[in-house]
Amino acid sequence: MLETADPQALARFYSELLGWEITKEDSDGAAVAPPEGVAYIAFQLSEGYVSPVWPAQEGVQRMTMHLDFEVVDLHAAVAHALELGAQEAGHQPQGNVRVMLDPAGHPFCLYLDGDNS
């Protein structure tokens, strides 16, 4: 569950990013899920939502979790995420990983398996 000021918009972002379907959408939240499987990502309306920062900074809202998505082509995956409204984080600690920020500011990683770097 990710908190956000606009759960429907964040659901649309992740639906397009991952190719998952929006399985729930109401005034308090939304969710996306893959075509097959039991996993899903939910988005909950949070009044007064404050985006986390990454990397962590003293006295500022910290990230409490992040999502990792393995990709086949890192350059193409980053370009796709940027087209959908993500931003690339300023600090990139690894060559085979790109830390991205979704439209609500939640960090997520796009990465190549170690065999592909």
Side-chain angles (χ1 to χ4, degrees):
M1 174 83 61
L2 297 176
E3 292 186 355
T4 179
D6 190 343
Q8 295 77 21
L10 204 53
R12 285 189 299 277
F13 169 81
Y14 279 102
S15 174
E16 292 181 37
L17 180 74
L18 303 171
W20 292 8
E21 141 180 14
I22 296 175
T23 57
K24 175 192 176 208
E25 197 167 9
D26 61 33
S27 60
D28 293 329
V32 297
E36 295 181 21
V38 295
Y40 67 91
I41 304 171
F43 311 96
Q44 179 177 324
L45 177 63
S46 176
E47 299 296 331
Y49 171 76
V50 176
S51 298
V53 298
W54 189 88
Q57 298 173 22
E58 190 66 35
V60 180
Q61 178 64 44
R62 290 180 171 268
M63 169 186 70
T64 57
M65 54 82 63
H66 72 274
L67 303 169
D68 286 346
F69 301 109
E70 183 177 354
V71 298
V72 175
D73 181 331
L74 188 56
H75 179 74
V78 168
H80 179 63
L82 292 171
E83 288 174 13
L84 296 173
Q87 295 180 336
E88 202 166 344
H91 178 66
Q92 299 293 328
Q94 298 166 279
N96 66 330
V97 177
R98 286 299 169 272
V99 180
M100 307 295 292
L101 304 174
D102 72 21
H106 298 286
F108 67 96
C109 293
L110 301 173
Y111 73 95
L112 291 173
D113 186 352
D115 296 339
N116 297 328
S117 57

